[in-house]
Amino acid sequence: MMTDKQLFELAIKARENAYAPYSNFKVGAALLAKNGEVYLGCNIENKSYPVTLCAERSAFSNAIVAGVKEFEKIAIVGGKDKLVLCSPCGMCRQFMQEFCYNDFKIILGEDVFQLKTFTLEQLLPESFEL
């Protein structure tokens, strides 16, 4: 079983591959699927900001391409010079809601010793569902 700390450390590694020449705010994500596999993602900026891909959606996309659509938790890290608490944007929260239940865990932190865990429902109350 992967611990929150281990998942967070993988998100830090994923952050190293971020492409953020405009904001210099690099984000990494590590997504744990229910099958035990981990899918990494990083933010990929573009001169046209709406085209930018967030780390969270990057990780989910990697999993979905592999045929995986059931998830347990995600760790997200971000910052410029140092890590800061990096909560997912609204678009990513709604993207997560498409594939995850309300009890899906979102792990955030500035380092492995100060992790905070939220559920998707806490970060996206009264979400849009069909």
Side-chain angles (χ1 to χ4, degrees):
M1 182 72 167
M2 176 151 305
T3 67
D4 292 356
K5 180 180 174 183
Q6 291 170 319
L7 198 63
F8 191 82
E9 288 171 339
L10 288 173
I12 291 170
K13 283 288 208 190
R15 181 178 173 269
E16 293 172 8
N17 293 323
Y19 177 74
Y22 308 106
S23 71
N24 293 312
F25 194 93
K26 296 182 176 186
V27 182
L31 174 64
L32 179 64
K34 289 197 175 185
N35 68 6
E37 293 292 321
V38 176
Y39 297 89
L40 303 180
C42 62
N43 61 323
I44 305 165
E45 291 184 348
N46 189 282
K47 291 177 186 99
S48 175
Y49 269 177
V51 180
T52 293
L53 181 61
C54 296
E56 300 91 315
R57 287 183 286 129
S58 174
F60 272 90
S61 296
N62 286 332
I64 293 163
V65 166
V68 176
K69 295 185 182 94
E70 293 182 347
F71 307 102
E72 190 173 317
K73 58 186 171 181
I74 190 170
I76 306 164
V77 300
K80 288 186 178 185
D81 300 323
K82 65 177 189 150
L83 295 182
V84 297
L85 194 69
C86 184
S87 185
C89 72
M91 188 183 306
C92 287
R93 293 175 194 203
Q94 184 61 47
F95 192 95
M96 289 178 200
Q97 196 283 327
E98 184 73 19
F99 297 97
C100 304
Y101 293 104
N102 284 334
D103 62 351
F104 176 74
K105 292 186 170 90
I106 301 166
I107 303 152
L108 310 173
E110 297 176 16
D111 61 53
V112 295
F113 303 108
Q114 298 179 23
L115 299 180
K116 294 183 178 185
T117 302
F118 299 90
T119 64
L120 181 56
E121 185 173 36
Q122 287 174 304
L123 295 183
L124 190 64
E126 305 300 325
S127 64
F128 177 76
E129 298 181 55
L130 296 178

